[in-house]
Amino acid sequence: MNTNTTHATHTTLAGCENHPETVELLREIRDELRDFNKDMDRLNQLTEEQVVSTVQNRKVAAITLMFVIPSTFAAIPGANFEHLNEYGFDNFFALPVLVGSVVLSALATFGLVKKKGWL
């Protein structure tokens, strides 16, 4: 406690010599306020740690998301291009359309993640 606070406490308590209950009550209030300040400092520290953790988790989620979408390239060689004509694809355009949709979705995801500030 600094000297100004000590002086103010002694000054405040100086007029209460005849009221020991008041002095005891003021000391209890002071102690409770000190405990409250310590609790608030601990809570503030926890909150800062949670913010850092949330930012790190968002970055990991964004990076994972951006790798999951291009991983669909692994499914392209297994696509049955002979029967894609049923869905309106010509065999010549089937592969470029699939690759283009994967690249477009990956870029859109990157843009969305960047816009939200996760990266």
Side-chain angles (χ1 to χ4, degrees), residues 5-80:
T5 308
T6 306
H7 177 69
T9 304
H10 289 306
T11 305
T12 305
L13 296 178
C16 298
E17 292 100 12
N18 296 336
H19 303 285
E21 302 89 19
T22 305
V23 172
E24 186 61 32
L25 180 64
L26 289 173
R27 286 188 178 139
E28 287 180 24
I29 292 171
R30 180 193 61 198
D31 293 341
E32 289 295 325
L33 288 173
R34 283 182 185 163
D35 291 342
F36 178 76
N37 283 336
K38 287 179 186 176
D39 290 342
M40 287 296 106
D41 288 341
R42 276 189 236 121
L43 182 63
N44 189 28
Q45 182 180 2
L46 284 175
T47 304
E48 289 172 359
E49 291 171 2
Q50 288 173 343
V51 167
V52 169
S53 176
T54 300
V55 168
Q56 291 172 347
N57 287 339
R58 284 182 179 174
K59 285 183 181 181
V60 169
I63 291 169
T64 302
L65 182 63
M66 290 186 346
F67 279 110
V68 166
I69 292 173
S71 70
T72 58
F73 277 115
I76 290 175
N80 190 354

